[in-house]
Amino acid sequence: MSSLFQNAYYIGINFNAILYGVELVLYGMTMNELVSRRKKWTRTDKVYMAFSTALLVLITIYMSTEAVFGEEMWIVNQNAPGGPLGFLVENADIWYQTMGTTASVILNLCSDALLIYRMYVVWTSLWVIAFPCFLYVATIGLGIIELYASGKPNADFFVGRAQQLGIAYYTTTISLNVIATCVICGRLIYLGRALEAARNTQGRGRGVIRYTGTLPMVVESALPYSMAGFAFLVAYGIESDISILFGALYGMFTCISPQLIVLRVVTGQAWTKDQTAQSLSAMEFENLGASRTAATTTAAQSEGTSTMDHKSVGSVQDMV
């Protein structure tokens, strides 16, 4: 591990602190919205409250262990044999680092589960989520193996067998992220344009922008989560020392992106199954109307042609 790794680690810890503040604000907004209507709580509201709290607890464990390890490496044990880098190599498998990695893996599973559910919401089809569900099951197995490989004595998350298994795990889970992002984005673009076309007015069509605009689409599809994951996977795969920085960003967006989705859901701004059904009904109605218009036009043209033919025949007979 070079000094570049230490610099990237330090910057990552600072970004963790900043983004943790963002998560606290989002969590507070979500809880405030849910508590304000506590007399009308549904089972879904309770699930989202528990889910948001779980995200906060897991991300707190993750970022705290990273910060504590940095303090131990640079301050408490700065004079250890080999300096901070020597301490890093000797203690990469320390128990609380394993705990932080475990929290990160569980956080990934929670976030991916929410993404799969959102895919089902915008598609309302089990076939669409079949392959993502297969990848999800694979991430569970690979995540457990990765935790064992990186947590056993003398193991290091960034080198050796643990790193190879880590590539397999993160390739699977980030592939799931990217697939979910693309599928949700594509579906929202399609449904949004269809709904605007069906309403057939410039003014009323703007109402769907709150669901299909650029910002809502970025949030609904968890785009920052997928982009940070892809950047981390590339850096981790080539064993770059800045992978720790991208890993920190990926870990925080694993929490922030799903929290943003939950916030949009509880405030009534997220895409729902009802809106999917409404869009599909609107498209069917529009297609039916277009078919009827085409049929009416064809009939009118046929009638006009027939009338002209009768007039032409009559004119010829008069001439004769």
Side-chain angles (χ1 to χ4, degrees):
M1 299 295 178
S2 66
S3 59
L4 176 61
F5 181 88
Q6 292 190 69
N7 281 276
Y9 195 179
Y10 176 77
I11 296 173
I13 290 175
N14 282 276
F15 271 115
N16 281 349
I18 295 171
L19 294 176
Y20 184 71
V22 173
E23 163 59 18
L24 288 177
V25 172
L26 295 174
Y27 177 78
M29 293 172 66
T30 303
M31 290 298 108
N32 180 65
E33 180 65 27
L34 289 171
V35 171
S36 65
R37 60 172 192 247
R38 58 185 178 276
K39 294 182 180 179
K40 300 179 180 179
W41 272 354
T42 64
R43 190 190 320 181
T44 303
D45 291 333
K46 295 178 182 179
V47 169
Y48 280 130
M49 180 174 288
F51 181 81
S52 298
T53 302
L55 291 182
L56 180 63
V57 171
L58 290 169
I59 199 62
T60 300
I61 294 173
Y62 166 74
M63 64 90 57
S64 297
T65 55
E66 294 295 301
V68 168
F69 191 80
E71 179 185 10
E72 290 287 330
M73 179 171 60
W74 291 311
I75 300 175
V76 178
N77 296 283
Q78 61 175 325
N79 296 321
L85 290 178
F87 175 84
L88 172 65
V89 173
E90 290 295 324
N91 296 274
D93 60 337
I94 197 167
W95 68 270
Y96 58 82
Q97 278 288 72
T98 303
M99 182 175 70
T101 306
T102 302
S104 176
V105 170
I106 297 173
L107 193 58
N108 260 321
L109 294 175
C110 292
S111 302
D112 291 347
L114 180 64
L115 277 182
I116 292 174
Y117 173 71
R118 296 303 297 172
M119 288 175 63
Y120 176 73
V121 167
V122 299
W123 278 91
T124 62
S125 171
L126 294 176
W127 289 107
V128 174
I129 64 172
F131 183 64
C133 285
F134 170 76
L135 290 178
Y136 185 76
V137 173
T139 61
I140 296 175
L142 288 171
I144 294 173
I145 296 173
E146 164 61 13
L147 288 176
Y148 171 76
S150 62
K152 65 182 183 179
N154 300 319
D156 190 335
F157 180 80
F158 292 95
V159 296
R161 180 61 61 85
Q163 194 257 356
Q164 295 172 355
L165 290 171
I167 291 176
Y169 165 70
Y170 285 110
T171 299
T172 305
T173 187
I174 292 170
S175 296
L176 172 56
N177 303 155
V178 173
I179 290 172
T181 295
C182 293
V183 169
I184 293 174
C185 274
R187 184 64 165 174
L188 289 181
I189 291 172
Y190 174 71
L191 291 177
R193 289 180 177 177
L195 192 56
E196 286 185 16
R199 290 181 176 181
N200 201 26
T201 56
Q202 295 276 343
R204 287 188 298 173
R206 294 172 188 165
V208 298
I209 294 179
R210 65 183 296 191
Y211 302 108
T212 60
T214 302
L215 182 59
M217 199 171 302
V218 167
V219 174
E220 288 275 354
S221 64
L223 183 60
Y225 176 34
S226 297
M227 292 180 64
F230 183 76
F232 166 65
L233 180 60
V234 172
Y236 187 57
I238 64 175
E239 300 183 20
S240 171
D241 285 340
I242 63 172
S243 62
I244 187 67
L245 172 58
F246 290 118
L249 295 175
Y250 176 58
M252 296 307 297
F253 280 116
T254 303
C255 177
I256 291 176
S257 287
Q259 189 64 64
L260 280 169
I261 294 175
V262 171
L263 179 60
R264 283 182 60 83
V265 170
V266 300
T267 55
Q269 298 180 3
W271 196 274
T272 64
K273 290 182 182 179
D274 291 338
Q275 285 161 336
T276 301
Q278 179 186 0
S279 299
L280 295 175
S281 298
M283 283 188 287
E284 291 176 1
F285 180 78
E286 182 185 12
N287 293 335
L288 180 60
S291 299
R292 288 179 176 176
T293 301
T296 303
T297 303
T298 302
Q301 290 175 347
S302 299
E303 183 179 355
T305 302
S306 177
T307 303
M308 290 180 65
D309 290 341
H310 284 304
K311 288 182 178 179
S312 300
V313 171
S315 299
V316 171
Q317 290 176 345
D318 291 339
M319 290 175 65
V320 174

